[in-house]
Every structure is written in structure tokens, then in C-alpha cells.
């Protein structure tokens, strides 16, 4: 049994992590920190989580002694706490964007802050187990991927070398929980219900993460045009990706077979012939996908679905922990959360 | 006052037409035909429509004497009735696909039936008033556009000549009413609620209509790759369109200005800087749109929203009627329906 | 043409009033006041309202000269402005609760503030046209009823004298727009979607208004037990009311006939045999209802539906204005809003 | 390990049972029968169920040898199969209504069929473990309660002897999955979304089951007036129950304490002070409830929530099986399903 803590445990991702860790066969929860709910029991705030601790204020003392800490702080706020914990010998899975980009200057460009720990940026491992499993096992610091990049990358990595120089078009549609628990005009029920729109139509912050990892897989720089949309659902992201295959048409079956063989051993990726939908994977850590060829237009279309809060955040964080500590990769992730 | 009839008045489009005609200042309703509700009053079946007639069985006799008839029959079933009415001297707005395609052989290819009236196919006018207003005024037979093509074409016609040879990618998201009133596994509340998926991912029947009209506007053949998705909402289509501009970057403002000047006199097209959403236009005949340039990816993105049952069907049908009979084009279409 | 102003025009009720007045044949809008949107055009904030003024800060000067003002302020804040306007000779329709209760002491008990204008409390007319039409015509100050009381009272007034001494049980279910436009944890999409719960289970503030008016109609004090619930919809209230008939069973048809004859001349009340549902009346000023007898339990059940923002607020306010100025009672209220 | 079969495994309740049994530590699935999906694998029809068998056609042979069979057939069709299985020595949990009512003549009155096995009606045990746990342990045939009665009875059994002679008013609100998987006009997304209405307003078939069991607990006949409503959600029932306490006011705390002590040892009943909501219990086997006193109206109000498909059907069926075979009562029911 290892000891795990959650820093910022009362947002959506923190709550799901709390539940996953509370039900994990190899984990004992050490500290759950919260700014707003100090002293309150988990069950008062979130009915039915599988963990019944009490929220405490964050300090190094209450977390020290943990084998691993999950940091669920906003971008730019996380890095200070992450650094403090890593320096103190606690392995960290950071759910913010603060260590996802390899180029230090990009934090200024995309997130508007000067990163003070280039050493940790260099050391951090991008936490997509389907790619970096071996590095994750040895890492002190995991940069857990963003929700949109997770679904997009899993859908394109098998064909990264086939994408022509025009790059990819990523049309993503996400549920409202991606915007977090804080109430705003944009998340008011009456603004979202029966509605649908794009947002962040050019230059969404998840773009550089997509470019970085897709280009790494392709072996050369690839362009990504990313457009997120807001769905009137709570959970899930469906991404429709379009690219022109460098080698021309292969036929639908060949593409499907390429995907199947790429992911044959993956516990959480499922390639299907039929079209996946959000409820196929809601509340689970699965990514489900299919691929089609539009021969007359010279395009390949890839469709992936994930639960943005599970495979797109907290479930993937636990999957990373499982890799870090040599547990079975699906441990604690078999069931709906 | 002209006399108008609705053939197939108890599907979604027929019901909205009934309401629009019932409230139209220049129209008197002559006959409302229905297979399932013969003898029943409108108010029993649809509360609050602005028309209180009784449904009758279709025959040429009950419709003859109408100045115009709206045919709301399924594809392949409509053409027989449409032909009968036109032959009898009734001007027709056909809401089916049976006269939308100019090439007779395409009906076999895309809709699976051999068209028996090539003369009427040749004569029919595609009912998009923003393009064919002058022809519509003189037409005996209007082929009312499909819901997806309406939003897509309005969004791309201003730039048809700017689209490069790779063509356009059309990622559309539609509400459930587009599937019609007949219950099925796919329209069951529990299948749609909290869910989202693509369907007809390659080769959807609205594709040839898009190709035909966009190519006509461009002056040469253009490729269209169309992917529809099903939203958990009742009303509306949002289309996200992607293309590479033949002449390269112009900057966002220039594209916006091109759209604004193209549509400056249109009563039902609104070009805005801010992102449109479904509820902006729900229950109205408006199409609202904006345009963005993703310079780093070399792409232009266009976003359009319509109500699939109004501008995408019945409202546009009334707009066509207004053009045919010289009424003010917005007559009867000012308010929510 | 009269001149009308809306005080607090950018909440939900203010926006709908703005639309209704903008489309009203006998009204010219004088001032639209707002705390948050001063200087902005209506169309920027609310697409498609039928009025295109600019929001101004409230002052007596900008409103003076209006024939009527609609006050859309929160409870306890409204009374000061209402008094100022009435004293200045402007007739007022107050959408808050500040003049609904006839007993001055009840404001302290139920709303927590000491009322400073008992003279206006005594003068105000309760704005339910179906009961107080004649008084409304002459009134300087109308207290527009609450949304829950409107549906409940219309459903029980025809039988007020038949209710036995145990009184009535009112089980109401409301859409989220009843909670207003301000974002909160309770109106977050993720809190409401796929959910349902009761709130204010004992002692909701609309109770004394129900007791006052139902007792007045009965001619003696009646007890009301009111329980509101929150539905995952934007618009509408369905109220299920239960009472034991003083005179015992009459049979379902007799009850229905009693309702029909009571409301035979009302423009906005519809008694139907079939069960009404929220979408029957959404976006309209109608109240639709039916009645059932549960003979074996000795109970009568009444079901009413309204749109909480129209007949439950802004539409009813316009209906009151129509009565005050001698316009046709349905003027400006025929269409969806 | 016991052997269990599901008869009619491809409706909503059958699918959830399949999942629960597939993940149950003490159960091996023997046969899954289906009329529509013979020969197809579970995973093709329902993604992510924890069981991967193949559907077979029903026959006594394929089920014989099971220790227990769950029958998920419609009312009136179930009894024949149930009788055949019990006669063949298979213990049965019947999810239909065919053995819930103790009086044989009631089947004719409420369900319109003449029951041919009064012997089994007499022998069947009503499967509410919170009441009949001891009898269930020994039973050959369990009549699994209806979804509405489950939530209603759990909410009123602690106070059955306190209810006065006027009986109880039961105002229930259910999600759409209660209507089953078959598509119909009433379950079409566009009919339910953004809507709400009552149905079966007098004489719903679940009434006699409520009367039978509540009267049994009270020790004398009690009247029940039941009104179900349809919510635009997939899962859950919230029941609001009203009664007048025989002994007058006790104060809210005393009622709450009475509930807490009644259910102190129950694994699946939770009494809370705060108001429960549907998502508290969605996808779980829990029933959560609270109680309020409306002193001025002389009423007690009870609020209960369950998931209609889990505690209201398949979860309770597994809980019954656990009682029948001496397993831990919560075995296989700890997690979301």
C-alpha cells in the first residue's frame, strides 16, 4: 500500500481522484487538501465517494510522507506547489498544464507566465501511458495531459507518419464539466441547455500540446488547427479529426486494421468498427475510436470519445500512478466512477 | 390573399408550415392533408398552431384551386404528387429532395429511385432565395433545400471562388428534430440524452446538393467532405466549415467584411463578429454566421447556425412563397414559430 | 401610443418585457435601465429582441414622462423605486413581491424587511387579471403575482369554495429560469442536468401570497402546504394541486365543466380534458389546466402549466398594462416570446 | 459460485442485471435469453457490460440447471415462464408484476388477465428486503417490487402506523428509462426534452401494490392517491409523499430520528437531513430520504430518491438473490452500474 494525497481535492477532477484512490486496492489516502472546505468531511460535500476523510488546508507538512501527490490546481498556480513537493521527495502527477510543454518559452506565450523551474520542465514526463509508459515508471514528475489532447492524440498517433504536410483539422465537442465547478454566465443551465457553440475558435491553449506530441510521433513538425465546441452534456469529448494521407487511399479496412494492431495490447483503448458515442465511455477510463476514409474527398476521418474527467484527467492520472509504482495498469479503474 | 395547401401537414415541417401560413397576412389555408389524422382538428394534434382547420385525406380535388402547395412527403414519395399538382396548374414548393439535384441520374445513385419526370427536374428552381430569388419569382416548382445544405451554402457562397482545390470540410451538428417525428431506437430520449455521435460519416445524401450548388457558385467543381453529428437538442444546426484560401491569408477583418458586404441586403442572414450559437436563431428564419482565420494552419473557419425546421425547411419554404407571389420577403416570418 | 419604461431590464424578466413592449402595437419604449449594461445596445446583450434601444442608468428623470413603468428589481429593493415613481405620477407594474401581501407585518415575517409605505401596500392591486380586472383598470400600482402563485391560483380559484378545511397541497415543479440570471452553484449546468430535487420544502416565500388570495376567493382562511421542486428545463411550471371536496364526489366531468364555465371568456386560460405539459405553453402567456377526481381516495387533483417568465411574470405584466390602459387584453401577447 | 440466468436480457433491466451478475463475486452466468438478439454477443449490443456471453433463445433446457433465474418479461407474459421454471426447481426473481399482488382477483382488475397459478401467488414473497428479508431467504419465488412502490414504501414504512385515516398522497417524478427500451411517440427525444407532465393521473397500476404493502405495515387498510409524472432525465425517481400524522405534530427532528433508528442497520437506505436529489443515487442501489414537518398545514412531507433501474428493479433483484443464497447483502452492489 502506498500513500497518496490530492492537492485541491474539491474541484471536479479532485473529487473523482478522491473516489478512485478511495477504491484503489494498493492505495491509502493520506491528505485531501482544499481551500474552501477545510474541516468538512468528504461525504458532506460529495455524496458516495469511496473515501471518508476530512479536508485539510494545504501545507508541505500534511502532504510530506506521501509516496505520490496529485496536484489539481489551476494553470500557473500549480507549478510552485509541484516544485515544492518534488523537491521534498514526493512524486507528483500534475493535472495542470504547467509541465506539459517542453519549451519553457511557450508558457509565456500560451499561458502568460514566466516559468521558474526549467529544470523540472526538462525532467517532467508527458503522462500519456500509451506512449511514455516506460519513462513514466521512473519519473518523479508527470505532466498529466489535457483533456482535448488526450482524445486527439490517441486518435492520431497510429497514423502520425501518414499525415500530409497540411496537417490535421481537429473539431472537438466537449461537455460542460470541462469548464470546472466555478459558476459563471457561460455554465449557467439556461445558457447551455438546448444550445451549442464553438469557443476559443483560434489559438486555444491545448493547441501547442497537440502540436508537440503529434510532431514528436511523426518525426517532423505538423500543423494542427483546433476548434473546441461546448455540448449541452455534463461528460465527454468527441473529437472528429481530418487529414489527407501522405500515401493516398488505402481503403477503410486497412486504416481500421492499422489502428487495431497499434492498440492491440492497450487496456484502455478500444478500436471499433461502429461509430463510438459519448455514453459508450462516460464515467470510464476508456478511449474508444473508429476511422473512415472519404475517398472522393481524399480524406481520412478519425472519431474518438473519452470521458473528459476520467481518461481526460483523473482516471489517466491514476493510470499514470499505476505505471509509476508497478501496479497493474488498470488497477482501480475497472468500474464506473 | 392567396390560397395555400400543405400536403403531409402532420410531420414536424408540415406543422410549422401550418403555423406560419395560419399567421401569414397574405395567405388563406385551403387544405391540410394527412394520412394519420384525417378528420381531426389541428388544435387536437398540435396545441397553439395559428390555424384551426381539419386534416383531410390527400386528393387532387381537395388541393386543386390552391395557388401554391407545400409538399412534405418523404424522398421518392414526393415526386409523384408534386408532378400531379404542377400538371394541374398548382405552383409547388417541394420540401423533399426529389427535385433538388439537376442531374437525373443522381437520384438513382443517392436516393435509390429512377426519376420519371426529367422535364420537371430540369424546370425546378433550387429554393435558396439568397441565390435564386429572381428565378424563384417565376417558378412553377421550387426544390426547397435540405437543412444541412442551407446552413453550409449560406456560409460558403460569399467565398466560393476563394476555396482552393482541396475543397471544403463540413463538420455539422444537428438537433434531433432533423430525424422527423417517427419514433425509432435512435431518437429514443435515453439514446440521445447526455450523448453525442457522428452518423452518415461518409456519403450522407445531402452531399451532392452541397457539391452542386457550391461548385455552381465557384464556377468549377469543388470537393465537399461532409460529416453530420447528432446533438442532444431539439432544434438547430451549427456547421463548422474549413477551407484553404486560394489567395492565402487576408486577415480576419477582411474575411468578415467580405461576408458583411455579400449579405448587406439580406433580410435573414446576419453576419456577426461574435460566435453564434443555436439559441440565437432557434424558432426563427435567420441564419447567423461568423468567420475566423487560423493563419498558422493556413485555414479559414466559417461558423453558421440555423433552425433546421425553420430556415432549414418550413420558414425557407414560406420565404420562397413570398418571392413567388411578390410578397414582402419577410412576411409572416418576423416572429418565433 | 403610450410610453413605457423597464427598470432593471437585463434580467430574464426585464429582457422578455423589453421584447414584448418592443412588439406591442400601442407602446413606445421610453427608457430601459440597467446597472450592469449602461451604454450598451439591446441587440448586443440579447439577440433578436424586438426593440433596439440603449441601456441607461436608472434615475427618476429618465423614467419620468412614462405612462407606465415595469419594475424588475429584487424583493426589498423594489419598493423604494416603486414609491418614487408612483409619487411622481408614473403608473407602476411591480414584478417584485414588495406590494403583493396586504398585511404590512408579513413583509417582516416572510421577506425580512420593514415596509415603509403601508399606504401603497393598501392601495396596490394584486395583478391577476382573471380576478381583479376591474380594479387593475383604475390602479396606480399593480403588484404582479409570483410565478408559483399564478399557476396555483388559476388552478384553484374555480373551486376555492369547494376545498375542505384541511386546505390544499401544492406540489410544484419549476424550470431553472425561475432562479434568475445570476450564476450560482445551484444553477450550474452540471448541478441541474439529469437531476431533480425539492427545495424550500417548508415555508417558501410564495406561500403567504397563495394563502391570501385563495382564502379571499373561498371567503374564509384556507391552509396551503407548498413544495417547489427544480426541473432540468429552462422554462415552465407544472403545479399538481390536491384537495378534498367539501361536498364529496361530483365525478370528473362535473369538475371539468365547472372549470370550463368559470374560464369560458378568459383569453389566456385554457381548460382541456387531456393532460397539459410544459411545452404546450412555453414562450406563451397561456395557462392550461385540467382536473381529475380520485374517487377512491376522496381527492380532486388539478394540474396547471404556465411559462414562469411569461404568464408567471412578464407576459402577465403586459396583460395588466393592457387592462390599465384599456387596450385589448391580448394585445402584444399573441405570439411566442 | 451459483449459476444464474437472465430471461429477457436485452431490455433495460435485463442489461443492468447482466452487468451486475457479470461482476458478482459469487455468481456465474449460465444463460442470457433474448427474442431479438439471438446469437449476438453481449458486447455488440451493450458496450462495457461486465459479462461477455452470447444471447440464446429461451427454452427450459438452456435455463435448467441454474440456481436462480431473473425473469424480465412484460406483465402477463412473465407468469407462464416463471411457473415453468419454479416447477422445474429453479428459484426465480420475477421483475414483472405477475406475483406482487396477494389477491388473485386483482390481476384481472388491474392488469387485465386471469391468473392461472393462484398457488404460486400465495407462495411468492414480495421482494423488499428491508421488510421481508427472512422470508426471502427461504423463498422459491420472489416478486420483485415495482419502481414506484420501492421508493414510496421505503419512505413510508417507518411511519405507516402514524398515518391518519385520510391516507397518503404520493406525487412521484420518474426518468424516461422507466418506460422501457421500445421506441414510442411518448419517449421520442423531442417529446420529452424541455418538457414535463403527469400521466396515469388516476388508477396507475402501481397503486394496489402500494396499498397492499403500506396497509400491511400499518395493520389496517390505508388509502393511497398516486400521481406519476415524467421527467426529462434518463434515470431516477423522486417521490414526494404527504400525510397527516395521527398523533399530531412531533417536530422535524423527532421524525428524522424515527427514520434514522428504523433504518440504522440497512445497507441501502440512507436518511439524511439535507434534501436528496436524483444524482445522489443514480446508478447505485441506494434509497436516500429525508422528512419535513409542515406544522402550520398539519402535514408531514417525505422525500425519497432511487435509481428506478437499480434499487427500483435490477439492483434490488440482486439484493434479493443475495438474501436467498446467504451472500453478503451488498455483494456485487457496491459500485455504480
Amino acid at each position: 500500500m502506498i500513500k497518496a494525497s490530492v492537492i485541491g481535492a474539491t474541484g471536479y477532477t479532485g473529487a473523482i481522484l478522491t473516489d478512485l484512490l478511495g477504491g484503489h486496492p494498493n492505495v491509502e489516502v493520506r491528505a485531501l487538501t482544499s481551500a474552501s472546505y477545510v474541516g468538512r468531511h468528504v461525504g458532506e460535500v460529495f455524496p458516495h465517494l469511496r473515501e471518508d476523510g476530512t479536508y485539510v488546508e494545504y501545507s508541505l507538512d500534511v502532504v510530506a510522507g506521501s509516496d505520490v501527490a496529485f496536484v489539481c490546481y489551476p494553470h500557473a498556480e500549480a507549478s510552485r506547489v509541484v516544485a515544492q513537493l518534488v523537491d521534498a521527495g514526493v512524486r507528483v502527477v500534475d493535472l495542470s498544464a504547467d509541465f506539459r510543454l517542453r519549451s519553457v518559452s511557450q508558457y509565456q506565450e500560451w499561458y502568460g507566465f514566466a516559468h521558474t523551474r526549467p529544470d523540472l520542465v526538462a525532467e517532467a514526463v508527458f503522462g500519456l501511458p500509451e506512449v511514455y509508459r516506460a519513462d513514466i515508471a521512473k519519473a518523479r514528475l508527470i505532466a498529466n495531459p489535457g483533456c482535448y489532447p488526450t482524445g486527439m492524440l490517441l486518435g492520431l498517433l497510429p497514423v502520425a507518419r501518414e499525415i500530409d504536410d497540411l496537417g490535421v483539422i481537429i473539431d472537438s465537442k466537449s461537455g460542460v464539466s470541462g469548464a470546472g465547478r466555478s459558476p459563471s454566465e457561460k455554465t449557467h443551465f439556461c445558457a447551455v441547455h438546448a444550445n451549442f457553440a464553438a469557443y476559443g475558435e483560434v489559438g486555444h491553449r491545448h493547441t501547442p500540446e497537440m502540436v508537440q506530441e503529434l510532431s514528436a510521433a511523426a518525426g517532423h513538425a505538423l500543423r494542427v488547427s483546433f476548434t473546441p465546441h461546448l455540448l449541452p452534456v455534463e461528460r465527454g469529448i468527441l473529437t472528429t479529426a481530418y487529414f489527407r494521407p501522405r500515401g493516398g487511399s488505402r481503403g477503410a479496412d486497412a486504416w481500421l486494421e492499422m489502428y487495431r494492431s497499434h492498440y492491440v495490447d492497450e487496456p484502455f483503448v478500444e478500436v471499433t468498427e461502429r461509430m463510438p458515442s459519448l455514453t459508450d465511455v462516460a464515467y470510464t477510463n476508456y478511449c474508444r475510436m473508429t476511422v473512415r476514409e472519404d475517398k472522393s474527398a481524399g480524406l481520412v476521418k478519425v472519431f474518438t470519445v473519452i470521458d473528459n474527467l476520467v481518461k481526460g484527467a483523473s482516471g489517466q492520472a491514476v493510470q499514470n500512478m499505476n505505471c509509476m509504482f508497478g501496479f497493474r495498469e488498470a488497477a482501480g479503474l475497472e468500474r464506473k466512477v
Side-chain angles (χ1 to χ4, degrees), chain A residues 133-145:
Chain A
R133 192 168 275 126
D135 296 331
I136 291 166
K138 298 170 289 186
R140 291 200 302 167
L141 170 52
I142 302 297
N144 211 57

mmCIF file with all atom_site columns, all heavy atoms in Angstrom, chain A residues 133-145:
data_model
loop_
_atom_site.group_PDB
_atom_site.id
_atom_site.type_symbol
_atom_site.label_atom_id
_atom_site.label_alt_id
_atom_site.label_comp_id
_atom_site.label_asym_id
_atom_site.label_entity_id
_atom_site.label_seq_id
_atom_site.pdbx_PDB_ins_code
_atom_site.Cartn_x
_atom_site.Cartn_y
_atom_site.Cartn_z
_atom_site.occupancy
_atom_site.B_iso_or_equiv
_atom_site.pdbx_formal_charge
_atom_site.auth_seq_id
_atom_site.auth_comp_id
_atom_site.auth_asym_id
_atom_site.auth_atom_id
_atom_site.pdbx_PDB_model_num
ATOM 1  N N   . ARG A 1 133 ? 4.929  5.025  -21.402 1.00 0.00 ? 133 ARG A N   1
ATOM 2  C CA  . ARG A 1 133 ? 4.822  4.084  -20.286 1.00 0.00 ? 133 ARG A CA  1
ATOM 3  C C   . ARG A 1 133 ? 6.161  3.836  -19.566 1.00 0.00 ? 133 ARG A C   1
ATOM 4  O O   . ARG A 1 133 ? 6.248  3.890  -18.331 1.00 0.00 ? 133 ARG A O   1
ATOM 5  C CB  . ARG A 1 133 ? 4.269  2.777  -20.830 1.00 0.00 ? 133 ARG A CB  1
ATOM 6  C CG  . ARG A 1 133 ? 3.834  1.786  -19.824 1.00 0.00 ? 133 ARG A CG  1
ATOM 7  C CD  . ARG A 1 133 ? 3.050  0.689  -20.529 1.00 0.00 ? 133 ARG A CD  1
ATOM 8  N NE  . ARG A 1 133 ? 1.656  1.016  -20.711 1.00 0.00 ? 133 ARG A NE  1
ATOM 9  C CZ  . ARG A 1 133 ? 1.002  1.000  -21.887 1.00 0.00 ? 133 ARG A CZ  1
ATOM 10 N NH1 . ARG A 1 133 ? 1.641  0.673  -22.993 1.00 0.00 ? 133 ARG A NH1 1
ATOM 11 N NH2 . ARG A 1 133 ? -0.262 1.302  -21.936 1.00 0.00 ? 133 ARG A NH2 1
ATOM 12 N N   . ALA A 1 134 ? 7.207  3.591  -20.329 1.00 0.00 ? 134 ALA A N   1
ATOM 13 C CA  . ALA A 1 134 ? 8.497  3.227  -19.725 1.00 0.00 ? 134 ALA A CA  1
ATOM 14 C C   . ALA A 1 134 ? 9.084  4.408  -18.941 1.00 0.00 ? 134 ALA A C   1
ATOM 15 O O   . ALA A 1 134 ? 9.592  4.243  -17.825 1.00 0.00 ? 134 ALA A O   1
ATOM 16 C CB  . ALA A 1 134 ? 9.466  2.769  -20.810 1.00 0.00 ? 134 ALA A CB  1
ATOM 17 N N   . ASP A 1 135 ? 8.991  5.609  -19.509 1.00 0.00 ? 135 ASP A N   1
ATOM 18 C CA  . ASP A 1 135 ? 9.513  6.785  -18.808 1.00 0.00 ? 135 ASP A CA  1
ATOM 19 C C   . ASP A 1 135 ? 8.694  7.112  -17.570 1.00 0.00 ? 135 ASP A C   1
ATOM 20 O O   . ASP A 1 135 ? 9.215  7.559  -16.551 1.00 0.00 ? 135 ASP A O   1
ATOM 21 C CB  . ASP A 1 135 ? 9.503  8.001  -19.742 1.00 0.00 ? 135 ASP A CB  1
ATOM 22 C CG  . ASP A 1 135 ? 10.445 7.791  -20.930 1.00 0.00 ? 135 ASP A CG  1
ATOM 23 O OD1 . ASP A 1 135 ? 11.444 7.058  -20.767 1.00 0.00 ? 135 ASP A OD1 1
ATOM 24 O OD2 . ASP A 1 135 ? 10.172 8.363  -22.001 1.00 0.00 ? 135 ASP A OD2 1
ATOM 25 N N   . ILE A 1 136 ? 7.394  6.904  -17.678 1.00 0.00 ? 136 ILE A N   1
ATOM 26 C CA  . ILE A 1 136 ? 6.507  7.205  -16.549 1.00 0.00 ? 136 ILE A CA  1
ATOM 27 C C   . ILE A 1 136 ? 6.901  6.375  -15.337 1.00 0.00 ? 136 ILE A C   1
ATOM 28 O O   . ILE A 1 136 ? 6.878  6.843  -14.204 1.00 0.00 ? 136 ILE A O   1
ATOM 29 C CB  . ILE A 1 136 ? 5.033  6.945  -16.958 1.00 0.00 ? 136 ILE A CB  1
ATOM 30 C CG1 . ILE A 1 136 ? 4.592  7.996  -17.987 1.00 0.00 ? 136 ILE A CG1 1
ATOM 31 C CG2 . ILE A 1 136 ? 4.104  6.951  -15.750 1.00 0.00 ? 136 ILE A CG2 1
ATOM 32 C CD1 . ILE A 1 136 ? 3.292  7.655  -18.716 1.00 0.00 ? 136 ILE A CD1 1
ATOM 33 N N   . ALA A 1 137 ? 7.295  5.106  -15.599 1.00 0.00 ? 137 ALA A N   1
ATOM 34 C CA  . ALA A 1 137 ? 7.630  4.203  -14.490 1.00 0.00 ? 137 ALA A CA  1
ATOM 35 C C   . ALA A 1 137 ? 8.751  4.751  -13.619 1.00 0.00 ? 137 ALA A C   1
ATOM 36 O O   . ALA A 1 137 ? 8.788  4.510  -12.408 1.00 0.00 ? 137 ALA A O   1
ATOM 37 C CB  . ALA A 1 137 ? 8.019  2.824  -15.052 1.00 0.00 ? 137 ALA A CB  1
ATOM 38 N N   . LYS A 1 138 ? 9.635  5.515  -14.230 1.00 0.00 ? 138 LYS A N   1
ATOM 39 C CA  . LYS A 1 138 ? 10.797 6.004  -13.479 1.00 0.00 ? 138 LYS A CA  1
ATOM 40 C C   . LYS A 1 138 ? 10.675 7.465  -13.064 1.00 0.00 ? 138 LYS A C   1
ATOM 41 O O   . LYS A 1 138 ? 11.554 7.996  -12.372 1.00 0.00 ? 138 LYS A O   1
ATOM 42 C CB  . LYS A 1 138 ? 12.052 5.844  -14.362 1.00 0.00 ? 138 LYS A CB  1
ATOM 43 C CG  . LYS A 1 138 ? 12.351 4.397  -14.733 1.00 0.00 ? 138 LYS A CG  1
ATOM 44 C CD  . LYS A 1 138 ? 13.439 4.292  -15.790 1.00 0.00 ? 138 LYS A CD  1
ATOM 45 C CE  . LYS A 1 138 ? 12.914 4.782  -17.129 1.00 0.00 ? 138 LYS A CE  1
ATOM 46 N NZ  . LYS A 1 138 ? 13.840 4.600  -18.265 1.00 0.00 ? 138 LYS A NZ  1
ATOM 47 N N   . ALA A 1 139 ? 9.605  8.130  -13.488 1.00 0.00 ? 139 ALA A N   1
ATOM 48 C CA  . ALA A 1 139 ? 9.544  9.596  -13.336 1.00 0.00 ? 139 ALA A CA  1
ATOM 49 C C   . ALA A 1 139 ? 9.250  10.054 -11.913 1.00 0.00 ? 139 ALA A C   1
ATOM 50 O O   . ALA A 1 139 ? 8.566  9.381  -11.157 1.00 0.00 ? 139 ALA A O   1
ATOM 51 C CB  . ALA A 1 139 ? 8.495  10.155 -14.277 1.00 0.00 ? 139 ALA A CB  1
ATOM 52 N N   . ARG A 1 140 ? 9.812  11.226 -11.586 1.00 0.00 ? 140 ARG A N   1
ATOM 53 C CA  . ARG A 1 140 ? 9.433  11.912 -10.352 1.00 0.00 ? 140 ARG A CA  1
ATOM 54 C C   . ARG A 1 140 ? 8.230  12.827 -10.591 1.00 0.00 ? 140 ARG A C   1
ATOM 55 O O   . ARG A 1 140 ? 7.474  13.129 -9.672  1.00 0.00 ? 140 ARG A O   1
ATOM 56 C CB  . ARG A 1 140 ? 10.594 12.786 -9.861  1.00 0.00 ? 140 ARG A CB  1
ATOM 57 C CG  . ARG A 1 140 ? 11.796 12.021 -9.365  1.00 0.00 ? 140 ARG A CG  1
ATOM 58 C CD  . ARG A 1 140 ? 12.640 12.908 -8.475  1.00 0.00 ? 140 ARG A CD  1
ATOM 59 N NE  . ARG A 1 140 ? 13.072 14.128 -9.196  1.00 0.00 ? 140 ARG A NE  1
ATOM 60 C CZ  . ARG A 1 140 ? 13.611 15.194 -8.598  1.00 0.00 ? 140 ARG A CZ  1
ATOM 61 N NH1 . ARG A 1 140 ? 13.789 15.201 -7.275  1.00 0.00 ? 140 ARG A NH1 1
ATOM 62 N NH2 . ARG A 1 140 ? 13.994 16.250 -9.307  1.00 0.00 ? 140 ARG A NH2 1
ATOM 63 N N   . LEU A 1 141 ? 8.100  13.316 -11.821 1.00 0.00 ? 141 LEU A N   1
ATOM 64 C CA  . LEU A 1 141 ? 7.071  14.312 -12.124 1.00 0.00 ? 141 LEU A CA  1
ATOM 65 C C   . LEU A 1 141 ? 6.380  13.983 -13.457 1.00 0.00 ? 141 LEU A C   1
ATOM 66 O O   . LEU A 1 141 ? 7.037  13.905 -14.490 1.00 0.00 ? 141 LEU A O   1
ATOM 67 C CB  . LEU A 1 141 ? 7.705  15.711 -12.211 1.00 0.00 ? 141 LEU A CB  1
ATOM 68 C CG  . LEU A 1 141 ? 6.835  16.852 -12.746 1.00 0.00 ? 141 LEU A CG  1
ATOM 69 C CD1 . LEU A 1 141 ? 5.502  16.960 -12.009 1.00 0.00 ? 141 LEU A CD1 1
ATOM 70 C CD2 . LEU A 1 141 ? 7.596  18.178 -12.638 1.00 0.00 ? 141 LEU A CD2 1
ATOM 71 N N   . ILE A 1 142 ? 5.067  13.806 -13.364 1.00 0.00 ? 142 ILE A N   1
ATOM 72 C CA  . ILE A 1 142 ? 4.262  13.502 -14.550 1.00 0.00 ? 142 ILE A CA  1
ATOM 73 C C   . ILE A 1 142 ? 3.396  14.717 -14.880 1.00 0.00 ? 142 ILE A C   1
ATOM 74 O O   . ILE A 1 142 ? 2.703  15.238 -14.003 1.00 0.00 ? 142 ILE A O   1
ATOM 75 C CB  . ILE A 1 142 ? 3.319  12.305 -14.273 1.00 0.00 ? 142 ILE A CB  1
ATOM 76 C CG1 . ILE A 1 142 ? 4.118  11.060 -13.862 1.00 0.00 ? 142 ILE A CG1 1
ATOM 77 C CG2 . ILE A 1 142 ? 2.419  12.023 -15.483 1.00 0.00 ? 142 ILE A CG2 1
ATOM 78 C CD1 . ILE A 1 142 ? 5.044  10.533 -14.916 1.00 0.00 ? 142 ILE A CD1 1
ATOM 79 N N   . ALA A 1 143 ? 3.468  15.151 -16.127 1.00 0.00 ? 143 ALA A N   1
ATOM 80 C CA  . ALA A 1 143 ? 2.555  16.187 -16.606 1.00 0.00 ? 143 ALA A CA  1
ATOM 81 C C   . ALA A 1 143 ? 1.366  15.483 -17.244 1.00 0.00 ? 143 ALA A C   1
ATOM 82 O O   . ALA A 1 143 ? 1.450  14.999 -18.373 1.00 0.00 ? 143 ALA A O   1
ATOM 83 C CB  . ALA A 1 143 ? 3.260  17.085 -17.621 1.00 0.00 ? 143 ALA A CB  1
ATOM 84 N N   . ASN A 1 144 ? 0.271  15.416 -16.496 1.00 0.00 ? 144 ASN A N   1
ATOM 85 C CA  . ASN A 1 144 ? -0.927 14.720 -16.989 1.00 0.00 ? 144 ASN A CA  1
ATOM 86 C C   . ASN A 1 144 ? -1.511 15.496 -18.172 1.00 0.00 ? 144 ASN A C   1
ATOM 87 O O   . ASN A 1 144 ? -1.720 16.701 -18.070 1.00 0.00 ? 144 ASN A O   1
ATOM 88 C CB  . ASN A 1 144 ? -1.945 14.657 -15.837 1.00 0.00 ? 144 ASN A CB  1
ATOM 89 C CG  . ASN A 1 144 ? -2.834 13.443 -15.874 1.00 0.00 ? 144 ASN A CG  1
ATOM 90 O OD1 . ASN A 1 144 ? -2.332 12.317 -15.881 1.00 0.00 ? 144 ASN A OD1 1
ATOM 91 N ND2 . ASN A 1 144 ? -4.135 13.652 -15.868 1.00 0.00 ? 144 ASN A ND2 1
ATOM 92 N N   . PRO A 1 145 ? -1.784 14.843 -19.292 1.00 0.00 ? 145 PRO A N   1
ATOM 93 C CA  . PRO A 1 145 ? -2.214 15.577 -20.494 1.00 0.00 ? 145 PRO A CA  1
ATOM 94 C C   . PRO A 1 145 ? -3.548 16.296 -20.320 1.00 0.00 ? 145 PRO A C   1
ATOM 95 O O   . PRO A 1 145 ? -4.366 15.923 -19.474 1.00 0.00 ? 145 PRO A O   1
ATOM 96 C CB  . PRO A 1 145 ? -2.356 14.464 -21.546 1.00 0.00 ? 145 PRO A CB  1
ATOM 97 C CG  . PRO A 1 145 ? -1.543 13.331 -21.044 1.00 0.00 ? 145 PRO A CG  1
ATOM 98 C CD  . PRO A 1 145 ? -1.620 13.408 -19.549 1.00 0.00 ? 145 PRO A CD  1
#
